[in-house]
Amino acid sequence: VAGTLLPASSTSFLRVVRIFRILRILKTGRYLQILQVLGNVIANSGRSMVVLMLFITIVALVAGVLLSHVESEFDNIPIAVYWTFAQLISMKNTALVGEHVESVFGIVILAVVLSLKGVLW
């Protein structure tokens, strides 16, 4: 049957079968109470997580624009925003100050941003 719908060299059918196998594993989550609790927590805190990510994005945008104007390492604003966003969502508490940020104003901007991270987390 699959040979008439798909070409002989196509692996699309196997991909569909694999997806259904993964979904079958996810169905077993309804029998585990821990996964149910985790699902309820994520569902109930969805709005809070969206607000947190929006706040982190706004802080990264502002700090990235400021850093791109102060530092010569960042050629354009998107690179600075991406770097700042990566620093905000990383688990490290230290930034690579010597490699990317060298001026006093850049270090001050980064210190303010990372202190906001300390307040958020």
Side-chain angles (χ1 to χ4, degrees):
V1 174
T4 59
L5 298 175
L6 301 171
S9 63
S10 176
T11 59
S12 300
F13 179 74
L14 293 176
R15 290 181 185 164
V16 171
V17 170
R18 286 182 189 160
I19 290 173
F20 281 123
R21 289 177 68 191
I22 290 172
L23 291 176
R24 187 178 348 147
I25 291 171
L26 293 176
K27 280 176 46 177
T28 60
R30 66 179 159 188
Y31 300 113
L32 298 174
Q33 184 179 6
I34 295 173
L35 290 179
Q36 290 176 352
V37 170
L38 180 65
N40 289 335
V41 167
I42 290 174
N44 291 337
S45 63
R47 293 182 76 166
S48 300
M49 291 173 28
V50 168
V51 169
L52 177 66
M53 288 306 293
L54 181 66
F55 183 70
I56 289 173
T57 303
I58 290 170
V59 168
L61 282 172
V62 170
V65 168
L66 291 174
L67 279 177
S68 68
H69 288 298
V70 171
E71 292 293 325
S72 61
E73 177 71 28
F74 301 108
D75 296 334
N76 54 19
I77 293 175
I79 291 174
V81 169
Y82 173 75
W83 186 81
T84 308
F85 188 78
Q87 292 297 315
L88 280 172
I89 63 172
S90 71
M91 296 303 288
K92 294 180 182 178
N93 288 331
T94 59
L96 302 173
V97 174
E99 293 182 16
H100 295 289
V101 180
E102 297 171 351
S103 69
V104 175
F105 294 118
I107 292 172
V108 168
I109 292 169
L110 194 59
V112 169
V113 168
L114 291 180
S115 66
L116 284 175
K117 175 186 174 183
V119 170
L120 290 175
W121 270 224

